Amino acid sequence: MSDPKLHVSGFLLRIRPGKTDEYRRRHAEIWPKMLDALRRSGVVSYDIFLNEPNLMVFGHLFRSRAPEPGAPEDPVILRWRAFMADVLEMEGDQPLREPLEHVFHMEFDEGICRSS
């Protein structure tokens, strides 16, 4: 996914103690409308990795465009966020989100190894 038009980001979220199974369950049953809202917001690929011993998740996503600062959020995304508030550590009405610096990328394309 080295398309220069894609915006890549990674972040950490914290899960409340005792809520990892519920976190998994909710994502296994993610609302179809939430998937549609993510697509509309430009998400083309989204992975979440769980580190259960530390109660953390790592999110990694590619968007077709960078999020627009100050743009209104999709109401479905706002409802999902409220739905997850009892499972995630929150900062006000937002999940406590720690952005990560992208320091390395490597991929193989047509037998050539590229890194950045």
Side-chain angles (χ1 to χ4, degrees):
M1 292 220 154
S2 67
D3 187 333
K5 294 176 270 205
L6 292 179
H7 175 80
V8 63
S9 63
F11 57 87
L12 296 174
L13 301 176
R14 298 182 189 277
I15 300 176
R16 295 180 189 273
K19 297 291 188 170
T20 55
D21 287 342
E22 184 62 16
Y23 185 88
R24 281 188 192 97
R25 186 188 70 74
R26 291 184 190 183
H27 281 83
E29 300 171 0
I30 193 166
W31 310 333
K33 287 184 179 187
M34 180 60 176
L35 296 175
D36 292 340
L38 290 170
R39 276 188 216 101
R40 283 192 305 274
S41 74
V43 174
V44 296
S45 178
Y46 195 161
D47 292 297
I48 297 174
F49 299 89
L50 172 64
N51 181 319
E52 190 167 5
N54 293 316
L55 299 175
M56 309 239 356
V57 294
F58 162 64
H60 178 243
L61 58 93
F62 288 90
R63 294 176 182 267
S64 59
R65 61 188 179 278
E68 295 179 36
E73 291 192 83
D74 189 297
V76 175
I77 292 174
L78 295 174
R79 276 198 325 261
W80 179 264
R81 189 177 297 148
F83 176 59
M84 295 299 291
D86 66 321
V87 174
L88 294 171
E89 295 288 334
M90 302 292 285
E91 191 170 56
D93 64 351
Q94 300 275 333
L96 182 58
R97 181 181 174 126
E98 299 176 39
L100 300 172
E101 179 183 358
H102 188 206
V103 296
F104 178 78
H105 174 78
M106 185 212 65
E107 67 183 64
F108 289 94
D109 184 22
E110 298 178 17
I112 300 169
C113 177
R114 294 189 175 98
S115 64
S116 57

